[in-house]
């Protein structure tokens, strides 16, 4: 019986791994589809660069495609996409609960709440 890794390092096996990674299949599910545990899959990835490359490259490509689609949606007026983008890219300024200004004086904070100047 051939070792399992022999199949997963063939063009056919690598194509399956690439497709699963591109489709967003989790590492746990990829390991299960390969018939191994997650730690074993990680050992294979360390031992066989072509396997690691197949999984990493396609996952990155899928992430970039989704990023580009989100950006296009935000630029084309999708308020949800704009909010999501700003909260993740400009989190400090666009959080639901902004961080307090540690440099503001008590008077500044009171003026902000009451509208009165002190």
């Amino acid at each position: 019986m051939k070792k399992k890794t022999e199949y997963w390092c063939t063009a056919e096996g690598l194509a399956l791994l690439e497709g699963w990674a591109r489709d967003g299949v989790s590492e746990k599910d990829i390991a299960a589809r390969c018939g191994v545990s997650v730690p074993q899959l990680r050992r294979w990835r360390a031992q066989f660069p072509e396997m690691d490359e197949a999984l990493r490259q396609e996952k990155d490509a899928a992430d970039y495609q989704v990023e580009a689609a989100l950006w296009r949606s935000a630029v084309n007026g999708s308020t949800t996409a704009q909010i999501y983008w700003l909260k993740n890219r400009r989190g400090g300024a666009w959080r639901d609960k902004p961080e307090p200004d540690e440099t503001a004086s008590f008077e500044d904070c009171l003026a902000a709440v009451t509208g009165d100047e002190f």
Side-chain angles (χ1 to χ4, degrees):
M1 183 175 145
K2 291 183 178 182
K3 290 183 181 179
K4 287 182 183 183
T5 55
E6 287 182 26
Y7 172 74
W8 294 111
C9 290
T10 66
E12 182 181 352
L14 291 171
L16 277 173
L17 294 173
E18 289 173 357
W20 293 335
R22 184 178 49 251
D23 291 346
V25 177
S26 71
E27 184 179 45
K28 178 181 175 184
D29 289 339
I30 289 174
R33 291 177 183 191
C34 292
V36 297
S37 65
V38 172
Q40 180 63 50
L41 179 63
R42 290 180 182 159
R43 284 191 293 274
W44 283 358
R45 290 181 72 171
Q47 187 177 1
F48 300 102
E50 64 274 21
M51 190 181 293
D52 183 59
E53 180 71 14
L55 290 169
R56 189 174 31 80
Q57 185 175 14
E58 291 303 315
K59 180 181 179 293
D60 290 346
D63 290 345
Y64 290 134
Q65 288 176 343
V66 171
E67 270 183 17
L70 175 65
W71 182 83
R72 282 191 300 277
S73 293
V75 170
N76 289 328
S78 168
T79 305
T80 302
Q82 291 167 348
I83 291 168
Y84 188 79
W85 182 270
L86 289 169
K87 282 184 176 184
N88 283 281
R89 295 289 298 256
R90 305 273 187 212
W94 289 92
R95 291 181 48 158
D96 288 330
K97 295 180 181 179
E99 294 291 323
D101 182 359
E102 305 270 336
T103 62
S105 68
F106 174 74
E107 289 80 14
D108 291 337
C109 294
L110 193 56
V113 171
T114 64
D116 297 331
E117 290 192 32
F118 295 91

